[in-house]
Amino acid sequence: MSRLGKMPNWQRKFVIIGMMTCSITGLMYLLGHQFQIQRSTLGTHSILAAHGIAAMLATLALGSVLPFHLKAGYKSNRKRWSGFSQLSFLAVLLVTSALLYYGPEEIRDVTVDTHWMTGLLFFAIFLLHAFQKLRSTNPHS
């Protein structure tokens, strides 16, 4: 089945696994560190390191879809809201992650909050975008 903007199976799996792993490890760290749930297990440096590595893979996955999937999705006029929302959230996540690592201490608390809130929004939109069935292109059906 050839469809404009449809990713090859390997790429779709790479994107889903990359984004899901990053989101799940981020959620684990959020629960452990920020919300003190199972802190000794979830709020550890190893979970944070896994999240960082998963974020690098997710960034590679994002880069793999930008050249054609984004352009094709825009032209097809499908899932624009969720697609561009994800792209915007990912930009915020990349900037806030850099600020968490390299930014000044004075903005750390607001950066942490912005990062995890945006991450939760991204995860919800990603799930909708990745697993929602495409609506029919026929306006009369």
Side-chain angles (χ1 to χ4, degrees):
M1 170 157 118
S2 178
R3 189 176 94 242
L4 182 67
K6 182 175 165 99
M7 289 181 263
N9 200 33
W10 71 266
Q11 189 176 39
R12 180 175 165 77
K13 286 180 183 177
F14 179 47
V15 170
I16 289 173
I17 289 169
M19 297 298 177
M20 293 292 285
T21 304
C22 185
S23 295
I24 290 168
T25 55
L27 182 59
M28 290 169 63
Y29 189 74
L30 173 66
L31 291 173
H33 189 263
Q34 199 75 11
F35 295 113
Q36 309 293 316
I37 298 170
Q38 293 289 319
R39 185 178 180 116
S40 62
T41 305
L42 299 177
T44 63
H45 178 74
S46 58
I47 297 293
L48 184 60
H51 179 58
I53 292 166
M56 291 176 203
L57 291 174
T59 302
L60 285 172
L62 171 65
S64 78
V65 302
L66 283 178
F68 74 94
H69 183 74
L70 184 69
K71 182 178 177 182
Y74 182 78
K75 285 183 176 184
S76 75
N77 205 21
R78 291 188 207 140
K79 298 186 182 184
R80 266 193 198 173
W81 181 86
S82 62
F84 282 105
S85 294
Q86 284 181 90
L87 195 58
S88 299
F89 291 145
L90 285 169
V92 172
L93 289 168
L94 286 168
V95 169
T96 56
S97 65
L99 287 171
L100 286 171
Y101 201 75
Y102 299 109
E105 185 65 31
E106 299 81 38
I107 64 167
R108 183 165 178 75
D109 288 342
V110 73
T111 303
V112 166
D113 291 344
T114 301
H115 189 79
W116 71 258
M117 288 179 202
T118 303
L120 291 175
L121 288 170
F122 167 79
F123 189 42
I125 299 296
F126 175 76
L127 291 173
L128 289 173
H129 186 83
F131 299 110
Q132 177 185 41
K133 294 288 183 199
L134 287 173
R135 293 183 188 148
S136 172
T137 58
N138 182 355
H140 301 292
S141 59

